[in-house]
C-alpha cells in the first residue's frame, strides 16, 4: 500500500478548506438572495411611500410659502420656509449621526 506523503496530505487539506469556504460563501449568497426576494415587495412599497412623502413635504412647503406670502411678502415667505426646512434637516442629520456614531466606535479591548 502506498500511503500519501505529508505534502500530499497538506495539499488535500488546503483543497478541502477551499471547497468548504466556497460552499459556505454559496450558502450565504443563497440565503441573501432568498431574504431579498422575500423583502422585495415590501422594499418597493417603502420606496413608493418615501416618494409620496417627499411630494407631500414639497406641497406643504409651497403651501406654507403661499400662506406666509400674504403676511410678509413672497421673498420673505420663501426665505422663512427655506430656513425652517434647512433647520429641520440639520437637526435630523445631527441626531442621525449621533445615533450612528456609536456603531462605528472602536471596540474596547477584551481583557483576559
Amino acid at each position: 500500500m502506498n500511503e500519501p506523503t505529508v505534502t500530499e496530505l497538506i495539499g488535500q487539506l488546503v483543497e478541502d478548506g477551499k471547497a468548504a469556504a466556497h460552499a459556505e460563501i454559496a450558502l450565504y449568497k443563497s440565503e441573501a438572495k432568498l431574504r431579498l426576494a422575500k423583502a422585495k415587495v415590501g422594499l418597493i412599497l417603502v420606496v413608493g411611500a418615501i416618494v409620496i412623502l417627499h411630494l407631500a413635504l414639497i406641497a406643504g412647503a409651497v403651501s406654507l410659502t403661499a400662506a406666509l406670502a400674504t403676511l410678509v411678502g413672497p421673498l420673505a415667505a420663501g426665505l422663512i420656509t427655506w430656513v425652517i426646512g434647512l433647520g429641520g434637516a440639520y437637526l435630523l442629520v445631527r441626531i442621525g449621526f449621533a445615533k450612528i456614531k456609536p456603531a462605528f466606535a472602536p471596540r474596547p479591548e477584551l481583557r483576559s
Side-chain angles (χ1 to χ4, degrees):
M1 237 187 200
N2 203 4
E3 291 189 24
T5 65
V6 173
T7 306
E8 290 173 340
L9 289 173
I10 291 174
Q12 185 61 43
L13 181 64
V14 168
E15 290 302 316
D16 290 347
K18 284 182 184 179
H22 286 295
E24 194 76 19
I25 290 170
L27 175 66
Y28 285 123
K29 278 184 178 180
S30 147
E31 187 176 335
K33 286 179 184 177
L34 179 64
R35 288 177 186 234
L36 186 59
K38 285 182 178 180
K40 186 177 179 180
V41 172
L43 290 171
I44 291 170
L45 292 173
V46 168
V47 169
I50 289 171
V51 169
I52 292 170
L53 174 65
H54 186 246
L55 294 172
L57 289 171
I58 290 170
V62 170
S63 299
L64 177 63
T65 304
L68 285 173
T70 61
L71 302 172
V72 295
L75 181 60
L79 288 174
I80 291 169
T81 305
W82 183 72
V83 168
I84 291 170
L86 285 181
Y90 174 78
L91 286 174
L92 289 175
V93 167
R94 290 288 304 252
I95 292 168
F97 278 136
K99 298 286 185 185
I100 292 171
K101 192 175 180 180
F104 294 99
R107 291 180 17 195
E109 294 296 321
L110 298 176
R111 295 184 185 174
S112 308

